[in-house]
Amino acid sequence: MNQQEALEKLQQEELDMLVVLRQVCEQIGVPWFLDSGSALGAARHQGFIPWDDDIDVGMLRDDYERFLREAPSVLPGGYSLHTFDNTHGFAGMFAKLYRDGTKFVTQETLDAGCEQGIFIDVFPYDALAIDPKQRRQQIRNVRISQYLSYLYHSGHIVVPHKGLLGKLEKAACRCAHVIVRAVCNRERIRDRFNKSILPKSQQSEDLIIFAWAGMQPLTKEILFPTSAAIFCNRQFPVPGQLEYYLETMYGNWRELPAKEDRRSHLPLRLVFSNGESWLA
């Protein structure tokens, strides 16, 4: 199996999982939508971005919390829901739906001892503070907390640059991992992150995904009520004001990136639900 065949097989597994997630959300009455690159893929390609290797979905915080509570009891056999709280070595401050019996092995999951399956990312949208000073503190806090969590679990972090600068950033991450493991506590990192989830009285109309604290804020009216879009010959919910959402997230989203930036990020090893495997 070559890399392109592995990517296509991975996308098919994820599409099957997305159908299951839709069924579960309909059963428990939780609103959701295709998020980020998956919403972009639906609008621009009517499916996966050809080189993309994951699916992202979004929910409002209250719906997300209900999803975490109720979905495990109605998920069909062969699927499970994973979070920082219930999975060893899980570093993200969001949830993942796994297809049990599969593997999606990265250097980060190896370092963390996290048995990660093929997954869909489930992101909660949280409200930013009304007060500008509190908002800045809130964003700074979740950004630092998520970085600390990734560094606590692994010294191999995806860095923003290439070349010599990228090598220096990777070396710095390996050093930081040792320091963070020595001075930080996993549960305290989570508790610090959660302090930014504010009571209703302090919330503005602006929403972001705290795990992606650098994103531009959106409002509920941009996301809901959702609209529908075709993704791989199936209909799924997307943000209601889809074009405005994509412009906010990506700018000129209709334009394809340069060829050198069209990169898949396949892991070190994949094991599919039929037992087939692929090694990088």
Side-chain angles (χ1 to χ4, degrees), residues 143-196:
R143 181 179 283 126
I144 291 174
S145 299
Q146 184 63 93
Y147 286 166
L148 284 175
S149 181
Y150 286 134
L151 286 170
Y152 179 90
H153 290 90
S154 175
H156 295 85
I157 307 298
V158 177
V159 296
H161 298 99
K162 304 175 185 177
L164 179 59
L165 181 56
K167 291 180 180 179
L168 292 173
E169 288 172 338
K170 290 178 180 180
C173 287
R174 290 192 291 271
C175 293
H177 169 65
V178 175
I179 296 170
V180 171
R181 290 287 294 191
V183 303
C184 288
N185 174 280
R186 187 174 187 269
E187 286 68 34
R188 288 180 182 173
I189 294 173
R190 176 204 58 204
D191 293 345
R192 172 177 177 160
F193 182 94
N194 287 342
K195 285 180 180 179
S196 286

Side-chain angles (χ1 to χ4, degrees), residues 16-28 67 70-82 97-101:
D16 293 344
M17 296 172 67
L18 186 62
V19 171
V20 169
L21 184 143
R22 178 178 61 186
Q23 292 169 345
V24 168
C25 287
E26 288 175 351
Q27 184 173 347
I28 63 180
F67 178 75
E70 299 181 18
S73 64
V74 297
L75 278 170
Y79 297 87
S80 54
L81 195 58
H82 296 259
L97 177 67
Y98 284 10
R99 190 159 195 174
D100 299 336

